[in-house]
Amino acid sequence: MSALSAPPFLKPVQLRSPRAQRRHTLPASEFRCLGPGDAASVFEIEREAFISVSGDCPLHLDEIRHFLNLCPELSLGWFEEGRLVAFIIGSLWDQERLSQAALTLHKPQGSAVHIHVLAVHRTVRQQGKGSILMWRYLQHLRCLPCARRALLMCQPFLVPFYQKCGFQALGPCGVTVGDMAFVEMQHAVRGHAFMRRNSGC
């Protein structure tokens, strides 16, 4: 039956060309752990986000590759139609508070996740993506038996943002970068047994 002779109650099916179909094969929005192959995209976003503010990046390209090789499960990327738009990179730490060594080390026996960096692509900032990604990341950490708490250091003007994400300030951080001072913050991860049982972990 041709489309022209179809009864009025049957809507003709419009076939798309293979080219049009291929355009929709990528998920509109996807969260996944990062790997070494994502390092260049991560560094591009990070460099643009931090250089203009602080003059340096929390992680350089070789350090990004280092952590994505050692502990990719402690990272999370947000992809839209296959393009990275925001990310978090973390590693394990085995002390109560952060120290200078925490900037470059991954301690596999540790129970604290040190969040090194959260960054959002400039084209999608001011849309709440940072707080959404952090929420997804903390849910992800609850699925990891090694993670009991999350630690981060940030400049004072970012404290309200992280407080809205559920972090508590621990006071001045013992880590310095150049002449910049930081506040250390913490978020409990364990102690959410009910949430883990119902999260599909």
Side-chain angles (χ1 to χ4, degrees):
M1 181 184 295
S2 70
L4 292 176
S5 62
F9 53 83
L10 291 179
K11 184 176 180 180
V13 176
Q14 300 296 328
L15 295 178
R16 295 177 178 176
S17 68
R19 183 185 299 273
Q21 289 175 337
R22 281 198 297 269
R23 285 201 298 267
H24 299 283
T25 57
L26 292 172
S29 189
E30 176 190 20
F31 295 85
R32 66 165 172 83
C33 295
L34 300 168
D38 299 306
S41 298
V42 166
F43 185 59
E44 180 184 350
I45 295 174
E46 182 200 33
R47 181 174 54 185
E48 190 281 327
F50 285 90
I51 289 292
S52 61
V53 176
S54 60
D56 200 2
C57 294
L59 296 174
H60 295 284
L61 184 56
D62 59 335
E63 295 168 326
I64 293 170
R65 290 196 179 107
H66 172 72
F67 286 121
L68 293 184
N69 270 304
L70 286 179
C71 46
E73 73 281 0
L74 297 176
S75 67
L76 190 65
W78 186 344
F79 294 80
E80 291 187 340
E81 297 186 349
R83 183 176 69 102
L84 182 67
V85 296
F87 69 89
I88 292 175
I89 292 179
S91 64
L92 286 176
W93 184 241
D94 60 357
Q95 303 295 321
E96 187 67 24
R97 300 288 296 268
L98 296 174
S99 69
Q100 208 74 25
L103 299 182
T104 56
L105 296 180
H106 168 61
K107 297 285 192 175
Q109 304 306 315
S111 60
V113 177
H114 172 206
I115 298 174
H116 292 271
V117 57
L118 181 162
V120 178
H121 195 281
R122 59 182 175 80
T123 60
V124 293
R125 287 184 199 142
Q126 307 301 318
Q127 297 179 19
K129 280 183 162 51
S131 56
I132 293 171
L133 180 62
M134 179 59 79
W135 183 85
R136 293 292 294 256
Y137 185 73
L138 292 170
Q139 298 302 310
H140 170 67
L141 293 185
R142 291 186 176 110
C143 296
L144 304 179
C146 61
R148 294 186 175 274
R149 60 197 180 105
L151 291 171
L152 61 82
M153 50 185 253
C154 66
Q155 292 177 275
F157 75 92
L158 287 171
V159 168
F161 168 79
Y162 287 112
Q163 286 177 327
K164 289 179 181 178
C165 294
F167 283 79
Q168 295 181 326
L170 298 177
C173 185
V175 180
T176 58
V177 178
D179 59 354
M180 290 188 295
F182 300 93
V183 177
E184 189 165 341
M185 305 192 74
Q186 173 179 274
H187 193 298
V189 173
R190 297 301 290 270
H192 297 80
F194 175 80
M195 296 182 66
R196 287 198 300 277
R197 283 199 300 270
N198 292 274
S199 65
C201 298

